[in-house]
Amino acid sequence: MKLYNTLSRKIEDFKPIDENLVKIYTCGPTVYNYAHIGNLRTYIHEDILEKTLRYAGYPVKRVMNITDVGHLESDADDGEDKMLKGAKRENKTVWEIAQHYTDAFFNDIEKLNIKKPDIVARATDYINKYIEFIKTLEEKGYTYFANGNVYFDITKVDNYTKLSGMDLEQLRTASRDEVSVDEAKKNPQDFVLWFTKSKFENQAMKWDSPWGVGYPGWHIECSVISLTNLGDQMDIHCGGVDHIPVHHTNEIAQTESYTGKQWVKYWWHGEFLIDNEGKMSKSSGEFLTLSLLEKKGFNPLSYRYFVLNSHYRKQLAFSFDSLSSAENAYLKLKSRVRALKENTDMSGAGKLSDAAVKIRDEFKKCIEDDLNTANALTVLFNMLKADDVTNTEKIKLIEDFDQVLSLDLLKDDESSTDVHDDMAEYIEEMIQKRQEAKKNKDYGLADSIRAELSEKGIILEDTRQGVNWKRIN
C-alpha cells in the first residue's frame, strides 16, 4: 500500500510501526454548527483510508476528537470563540450547543456510510490531562507565563516548520489580516497552552488550574487525546490541508517536546471542496450542509459517490449541476446492480475464477495506490461489462468492493412511498412549481420539472383529483 506523506512530500510505501495494529488519529469537528459538505468530504476520504487499511488486512484503531470546549476561532489563537458564537446565535448554553451539533454530526456521517471511529473523545473530558501535559512542558523549559497565559516557545524547538516547509516569515504573511496581535508573545508564532486572560471576559467554559481559572488552547487537545488513547507514537494523523501550517505544526512541536521522539509517521491531508467563491466555509450566509442537499432532493450517498470520483489530494469544484450528474450516474449504477441481483441465483456461488480474481486484484491495486477511488470505480464499471466473469461472481465482487466504497450497491432501494421527509417536501415543491408553470402556459418549464423529477426516479401522474407521484425502482 502507498500513501502520500505530507511530512516527506512524497508517496511512500506504507509500513506501520506495529504490524498488529495501525493507529490513526483524525481531527474531529468543532461542534458549534452543522458540518458543511467541505468538512464532510474530508471525513469521507478518511473513511476510505480506514476501510482500505482494513480491506488490506491491517487491524486498525482510530481515534477522533470532538471539540466541545470553547477556543479561539483561528489556528493562531485569534478571532472568535466558536462555541460562544454558537451559543449567542441560538440563545442556548455552550453545553446545549455542543450536544446538539455533536448529535447532528454523527447523524450526517451515518447517512454518508462513514464508519464511526473506534474511540470518540470529547475535549472537555481531558481537562486534567491537559494540565498535566502543560506542567511537563513547563518543567522541561518549553513554556513561559505572560499576561496570565501559558505560552509555548517555538524557538526551543528544532525545525518547527518541518511539516509545512514554510519559513516563519511565510507563516506571518499567511495569518489573517484582521486578527489582533498578542503583545504578550515573545514570538509571533508562539501559541497559548492555557488561557486565564483573553479578550473574552465572560468565557462560559472555565476550569481551575495551577495558572488560574481558565481554559485550554486549541492545539493541545489533539496531542493529549492521541497520547492517551494511542500512546507516544502513531502511524497516521489525518486532517484538512488548512491545518498544516499552524494547527498540526503546533501539535508536532508540543507533542515531540513532551515525548522526546517522533510522534507521527505519516501525515495525511485532504484538499478543499471549492465553489465559485473559492474554499467552502461557514463564514458567509447559508452554507451547504448535507440536510440542505437532502432538501433539494439529493440522496446523501450521491454526494459520497460524487466525492469518490475525485482524488483526496486534489481540490474538488462543487456545483449542483455536477452533483446532479453524479446522482444520475449513481442511480444508474444502482439500477444496473439491482437488475443483475434480481437475475442471479447465488445458491451455487463458489470460488472465484482467475478472471474474477484478476479484477479484484485490480480494484485492490487502485485503492492501495494512495486511495485512488476514481480508478477503483472504473474497475467496478469495467467488471459489470466483463464477459469472462459470471453474474454470480459479479455480485460477489460488488459485495467485496463495497466494503471500501460503502455505496450500498446491493442494498434494496426504498419502496415507492418510502422517501425521507426532506425528499417528499422537495417533490411537493416541484409539483407546485409545475402547476404554476402550466397555469402560466409555460409548458417548457413544466416539462423540464417533470424531466428533472424523472431523473431522480420520481414519476408524476396527472389525474382529475390532482397530481400523484411515485418512486420507481
Side-chain angles (χ1 to χ4, degrees), residues 127-162:
I127 300 298
N128 290 336
K129 292 185 181 295
Y130 303 148
I131 292 171
E132 292 303 315
F133 181 87
I134 296 168
K135 286 168 67 176
T136 298
L137 290 177
E138 194 175 48
E139 291 166 3
K140 290 188 172 187
Y142 288 102
T143 70
Y144 60 91
F145 189 79
N147 193 33
N149 301 326
V150 183
Y151 293 86
F152 186 92
D153 186 347
I154 66 158
T155 64
K156 301 294 182 67
V157 177
D158 293 332
N159 201 8
Y160 169 70
T161 60
K162 63 183 178 182

Side-chain angles (χ1 to χ4, degrees), residues 445-458:
L445 176 58
D447 289 343
S448 69
I449 291 172
R450 176 190 282 276
E452 180 178 337
L453 289 172
S454 178
E455 286 181 353
K456 296 183 183 301
I458 304 299

